[in-house]
Amino acid sequence: MLSPIQVLCSDITTLSLEPEPFASYTEADIISTVEFNHTGELLATGDKGGRVVIFQREPESKIEPFSQGEYNVYSTFQSHEPEFDYLKSLEIEEKINKIRWLPQQNAAHFLLSTNDKTIKLWKVSERDKRPEGYNLKDEEGRIKDMSTVTSLQVPVLKPMDLMVEVSPRRVFANAHTYHVNSISVNSDYETYMSADDLRINLWHLDITDRSFNIVDIKPANMEDLTEVITAAEFHPHHCNLFVYSSSKGTLRLCDMREAALCDKHSKLFEEPEDPSARSFFSEIISSVSDVKFSHSGRYLLTRDYLTAKVWDLNMESKPLETYQVHDYLRSKLCSLYENDCIFDKFECAWNGSDSVIMTGAYNNFFRMFDRNTKRDVTLEASRESSKPRAVLKPRRVCAAGGKRRKDDISVDSLDFTKKILHTAWHPNENIIAIAATNNLYIFQDKLNSEMH
């Protein structure tokens, strides 16, 4: 049996879901979030233009029963429009910051999408029949003259071409003073939370005109502000627990049973800083950009600028595992600070069994770490890998001044404008989605049956 890392290195097929993946693009086309639904059959992306594109996995072919279904465009809709706050004279971008799916309860699908200020609940449904034979309307939907109605008929449903309808069901607005960076659906499926730089609010999915503030770290005097909230997520199984990360590199686990306002955390996860390694950039690179609970709920995965860390909920003093994502950039921090790349926010993801983690890097590279074998691999989402049935080859970056092998890439030749910030992993299978600027790559393992 091959390990996940071995399979992902040697036997992955690639799909590029842009019709012309390498054509010119605008700022609005840049993908800003990627999210599988709970079954993995649907995949949603949001972009800086406020659009949401949903991809659906095609059923397996009867001719090739072991072939994986590909993902094709299912629906596209405009989720958010640019707005203007007249009181503060601020433009509100239409960029989609996060998308979260609700577990499917019936034939329809529901998802939450948010920009900097407003969260919306969308219903995605299918219609393949239409009613015909109205008594009071004609075929074009106009009301008939009642005097012309001489007989009554029973309306019937006639088959029609499949139509995917997307409609807004709720709009949750006016609750955040600062930019929303996270939304997370609770395991009770009735509530969700939204987090901005200084506050976290708890919402009921049916109530739009009020929310409950559960975390508020805003000081009385803003000059005393030392940290901001960077990400937040509910526990996958316990509806009373949630975690949030900060720009200081700390994680706070909160229990909503203890108090209505969770200003006092239940647990604080923090790694002591090595005084000898402290530099001007220490605080910037220690800021946590993403936090994810494992599917089991036992572990936390975090990403800061240079590392990915796995924390055990039962051990607060230090991370259980630390993985160097691109340690070769330590010598480049000064130039990365000058071009603002040091402030990039990379996301991270677990595989379905919590045995492998994934996160992005520069030059369209992304990294995978096998927690069991401690092996790691660097892969690239590129023009070559987007060809049908392409095989991904491991890549290696040579640090400045290091010995360079054949096919190694020098750290000086990395393209920092090409960055993999957003990734997602299918909840059950070895299928990953990688957002590279305006292109979405789906890498799927042909030996999926070997994986579990």
Side-chain angles (χ1 to χ4, degrees):
M1 180 182 290
L2 296 174
S3 74
I5 290 294
Q6 287 171 320
V7 174
L8 288 169
C9 283
S10 61
D11 212 352
I12 295 184
T13 57
T14 310
L15 301 169
S16 178
L17 297 177
E18 289 284 332
E20 297 180 59
F22 308 103
S24 60
Y25 62 92
T26 65
E27 180 82 5
D29 298 324
I30 296 174
I31 297 172
S32 54
T33 185
V34 183
E35 185 79 5
F36 280 103
N37 76 338
H38 291 72
T39 63
E41 294 304 301
L42 297 178
L43 170 65
T45 67
D47 63 26
K48 289 191 174 183
R51 296 179 296 263
V52 172
V53 181
I54 301 174
F55 300 92
Q56 183 184 48
R57 194 179 187 191
E58 296 299 317
E60 290 185 357
S61 168
K62 292 180 181 178
I63 302 171
E64 300 177 71
F66 298 107
S67 69
Q68 296 292 332
E70 296 184 351
Y71 285 82
N72 292 315
V73 175
Y74 181 60
S75 179
T76 303
F77 63 96
Q78 187 73 31
S79 172
H80 288 71
E81 300 280 357
E83 298 175 50
F84 191 79
D85 187 330
Y86 292 97
L87 290 175
K88 297 179 181 177
S89 295
L90 287 175
E91 288 186 14
I92 301 171
E93 285 186 323
E94 65 270 38
K95 173 194 165 195
I96 307 297
N97 292 341
K98 284 287 185 288
I99 291 173
R100 289 291 180 265
W101 291 91
L102 274 63
Q104 190 174 5
Q105 308 286 349
N106 50 42
H109 298 272
F110 291 86
L111 63 85
L112 289 165
S113 63
T114 183
N115 65 351
D116 286 340
K117 300 290 183 183
T118 305
I119 305 149
K120 296 183 180 181
L121 175 65
W122 296 91
K123 179 183 179 181
V124 183
S125 56
E126 294 182 353
R127 190 151 62 95
D128 59 1
K129 293 182 176 64
R130 69 171 182 270
E132 286 187 5
Y134 284 110
N135 289 294
L136 303 178
K137 294 180 182 178
D138 61 20
E139 292 180 359
E140 295 179 1
R142 294 185 297 244
I143 301 295
K144 290 182 181 178
D145 181 356
M146 295 299 117
S147 62
T148 63
V149 179
T150 57
S151 63
L152 296 178
Q153 58 183 335
V154 178
V156 294
L157 291 173
K158 293 283 186 72
M160 60 176 279
D161 291 338
L162 180 67
M163 179 186 296
V164 179
E165 297 179 323
V166 181
S167 55
R169 307 297 289 182
R170 306 274 190 279
V171 177
F172 306 88
N174 306 317
H176 286 279
T177 306
Y178 307 97
H179 291 178
V180 177
N181 54 48
S182 303
I183 50 176
S184 178
V185 180
N186 201 344
S187 59
D188 62 11
Y189 305 151
E190 290 186 348
T191 57
Y192 76 93
M193 69 177 173
S194 56
D196 64 24
D197 296 335
L198 298 180
R199 296 189 180 97
I200 300 176
N201 293 332
L202 180 68
W203 300 83
H204 194 285
L205 285 163
D206 290 332
I207 302 171
T208 61
D209 60 352
R210 64 184 179 275
S211 62
F212 296 94
N213 181 225
I214 53 175
V215 173
D216 188 346
I217 66 169
K218 183 181 179 182
N221 184 352
M222 285 296 278
E223 291 181 1
D224 299 329
L225 183 67
T226 58
E227 63 180 332
V228 295
I229 298 168
T230 55
E233 186 170 77
F234 269 119
H235 191 282
H237 309 301
H238 301 299
C239 61
N240 54 288
L241 296 178
F242 68 92
V243 69
Y244 69 92
S245 58
S246 86
S247 56
K248 276 192 169 180
T250 60
L251 302 172
R252 290 177 173 84
L253 184 71
C254 299
D255 190 338
M256 292 191 291
R257 296 173 299 185
E258 293 181 1
L261 187 63
C262 300
D263 281 348
K264 291 183 180 178
H265 49 265
S266 301
K267 290 189 175 185
L268 175 66
F269 301 86
E270 185 174 18
E271 186 173 22
E273 186 183 21
D274 180 3
S276 63
R278 181 158 182 82
S279 71
F280 171 78
F281 306 107
S282 295
E283 197 166 309
I284 302 172
I285 63 174
S286 66
S287 176
V288 175
S289 56
D290 195 20
V291 58
K292 296 277 173 61
F293 274 103
S294 62
H295 294 84
S296 67
R298 171 69 186 270
Y299 304 103
L300 288 167
L301 171 61
T302 64
R303 173 67 203 267
D304 56 41
Y305 190 66
L306 294 177
T307 66
K309 296 173 182 174
V310 174
W311 300 77
D312 189 325
L313 287 188
N314 298 328
M315 186 170 74
E316 303 167 59
S317 57
K318 62 179 181 178
L320 190 67
E321 302 153 17
T322 300
Y323 300 97
Q324 300 296 332
V325 178
H326 39 207
D327 201 48
Y328 46 78
L329 293 182
R330 284 192 185 274
S331 61
K332 299 285 182 184
L333 292 179
C334 189
S335 58
L336 290 166
Y337 177 78
E338 290 173 355
N339 63 18
D340 284 344
C341 284
I342 201 169
F343 301 106
D344 285 335
K345 292 175 169 44
F346 293 94
E347 295 176 5
C348 50
W350 296 90
N351 75 334
S353 61
D354 299 334
S355 60
V356 183
I357 63 174
M358 171 177 65
T359 189
Y362 292 107
N363 210 62
N364 277 359
F365 290 165
F366 58 99
R367 303 270 283 139
M368 287 185 173
F369 302 91
D370 189 316
R371 299 180 59 215
N372 298 325
T373 65
K374 303 303 179 188
R375 294 181 63 225
D376 64 272
V377 67
T378 301
L379 301 170
E380 182 181 8
S382 67
R383 183 187 296 261
E384 286 71 30
S385 66
S386 70
K387 295 175 182 176
R389 319 309 292 177
V391 175
L392 287 182
K393 296 179 181 177
R395 308 304 299 265
R396 185 174 178 272
V397 178
C398 176
K403 190 174 181 181
R404 190 170 173 183
R405 301 182 210 161
K406 184 186 177 184
D407 295 331
D408 279 5
I409 298 156
S410 167
V411 66
D412 295 318
S413 62
L414 293 177
D415 187 345
F416 292 103
T417 63
K418 296 179 178 178
K419 53 192 83 170
I420 304 291
L421 301 178
H422 313 288
T423 61
W425 204 311
H426 189 290
N428 306 312
E429 301 180 32
N430 252 1
I431 299 175
I432 57 175
I434 306 291
T437 318
N438 65 317
N439 298 306
L440 178 68
Y441 297 91
I442 294 182
F443 301 106
Q444 60 185 34
D445 167 25
K446 288 186 287 189
L447 301 181
N448 190 66
S449 57
E450 293 274 344
M451 296 297 302
H452 302 289

